[in-house]
Amino acid sequence: MKYTLWKLLNDRGVEIPVFQRDYAQGRTDKTALRRDFLKQLVGALADCKEADGNLDFVYSFGDGTKDAQPLDGQQRLTTLWFLHWYIAVRVLKEEELKEALKTLSKFSYRTRHSSSNFIYSLCQSEKVVGLKDTNDISSAICDSTWFEKSWLQDPTVCGILTTLRGHTEHNKIEPNGIQPILASHAQADLVKFWNLLTSEVCPIQFDHLNIEKYEVKSPDLLYIKMNARGKSLSAYEKFKAQWIAEIGKTDKNLSFEISRLIDN
């Protein structure tokens, strides 16, 4: 079934589960990948072409009453979510922003507690309303009183900040972040982009396949197998996912506490 991110958030919500790896599109060595994907997204909004905004399949786990837990598509969804978030902060008035953030808050990370807390904070209107006119939104976030410096040890948080501002390498200035890529667009363009992102005719869509009905008993092991197509999960990522899942079978509170201790 065809979905936009806005529709998926309104219908179910999205939770990046504990067995996923950290957000990788924001890594400094993924400059070209990040640049090309962001330009694809912005180009689709500018030209209103669905062919340019087709994100292929997103596979998730979780029945229709629970948040969708992506097994494949995490990176694309995270970057797309931050495009929504950035444009909302830039164009919406305070009350409109508060309403938009209620929907955007249905996107969460469970890979680390610091990632989860960071994204939760970004969905609090009183914390982000002052970011509207900042020249460097990543620096402004890091300088905010609510930002915990320990979050900079989290690869997902660092990746998110890089996706917002881009990364300059070897003195080559090439836009590869959301803010610099959108800098050439007028405020009226951003308003148009926001209206498209939240409409039924949004050109950025994906085919969402929920594999719950196929009776997949172990999504963490399936995820490991799926990622064998590309870069394998690290020993740490495999161990953490399987160990926490095993403990959670008998004691969910202990599972949560151990996960928190590992991350910190």
Side-chain angles (χ1 to χ4, degrees):
M1 179 178 178
K2 286 286 187 182
Y3 267 89
T4 65
L5 179 57
W6 194 254
K7 174 177 171 56
L8 186 59
L9 290 175
N10 276 290
D11 286 358
R12 296 180 58 184
V14 177
E15 179 186 279
I16 307 302
V18 68
F19 52 78
Q20 279 277 17
R21 62 162 57 95
D22 294 304
Y23 175 54
Q25 279 192 4
R27 294 174 183 169
T28 55
D29 62 347
K30 300 296 182 182
T31 298
L33 174 65
R34 181 173 59 252
R35 176 202 62 209
D36 293 346
F37 184 54
L38 285 172
K39 286 187 174 181
Q40 176 191 345
L41 298 178
V42 174
L45 293 172
D47 299 330
C48 296
K49 292 182 178 179
E50 288 187 18
D52 294 339
N54 181 12
L55 303 187
D56 298 321
F57 280 92
V58 170
Y59 300 94
S60 73
F61 192 80
D63 62 36
T65 63
K66 300 177 182 177
D67 290 348
Q69 296 184 325
L71 293 173
D72 187 51
Q74 168 209 359
Q75 306 295 327
R76 286 168 286 154
L77 291 180
T78 303
T79 301
L80 179 57
W81 187 89
F82 270 96
L83 182 65
H84 281 69
W85 178 87
Y86 177 84
I87 294 177
V89 169
R90 286 299 194 192
V91 305
L92 299 182
K93 296 179 180 179
E94 186 169 355
E95 287 304 313
E96 295 173 325
L97 179 60
K98 186 179 295 185
E99 287 302 310
L101 291 176
K102 286 182 181 178
T103 299
L104 291 174
S105 67
K106 295 179 181 179
F107 181 92
S108 60
Y109 253 78
R110 292 292 178 262
T111 54
R112 298 173 190 264
H113 294 283
S114 46
S115 305
S116 179
N117 292 338
F118 176 60
I119 291 178
Y120 173 81
S121 296
L122 291 179
C123 292
Q124 307 305 302
S125 60
E126 67 276 9
K127 294 182 178 180
V128 301
V129 68
L131 300 174
K132 184 180 182 69
D133 299 315
T134 55
N135 293 324
D136 183 345
I137 196 165
S138 288
S139 295
I141 289 171
C142 293
D143 291 339
S144 299
T145 56
W146 52 264
F147 184 84
E148 298 183 23
K149 299 306 180 184
S150 61
W151 291 348
L152 292 174
Q153 305 302 316
D154 184 329
T156 291
V157 174
C158 291
I160 288 166
L161 294 172
T162 300
T163 292
L164 287 172
R165 68 171 171 249
H167 175 67
T168 302
E169 191 173 29
H170 304 309
N171 297 321
K172 293 181 180 179
I173 301 176
E174 187 174 12
N176 58 82
I178 293 174
Q179 183 166 8
I181 286 177
L182 289 176
S184 60
H185 293 273
Q187 188 74 358
D189 293 331
L190 299 186
V191 172
K192 169 193 168 185
F193 293 169
W194 176 252
N195 291 334
L196 282 172
L197 287 169
T198 56
S199 74
E200 295 182 357
V201 295
C202 177
I204 302 174
Q205 300 182 2
F206 49 87
D207 292 286
H208 179 239
L209 180 62
N210 177 19
I211 64 172
E212 180 87 15
K213 60 184 178 181
Y214 298 110
E215 298 184 357
V216 178
K217 301 300 183 182
S218 184
D220 51 342
L221 294 179
L222 175 61
Y223 174 72
I224 291 171
K225 291 179 180 178
M226 290 177 70
N227 276 270
R229 297 170 298 146
K231 182 180 178 181
S232 299
L233 292 173
S234 68
Y236 163 78
E237 290 165 323
K238 293 179 183 178
F239 172 75
K240 176 185 172 182
Q242 294 173 344
W243 189 40
I244 295 302
E246 190 66 26
I247 296 172
K249 292 178 182 179
T250 55
D251 191 332
K252 292 187 179 298
N253 290 331
L254 179 60
S255 172
F256 178 87
E257 179 62 14
I258 290 178
S259 176
R260 185 186 67 81
L261 291 172
I262 290 175
D263 291 341
N264 292 338

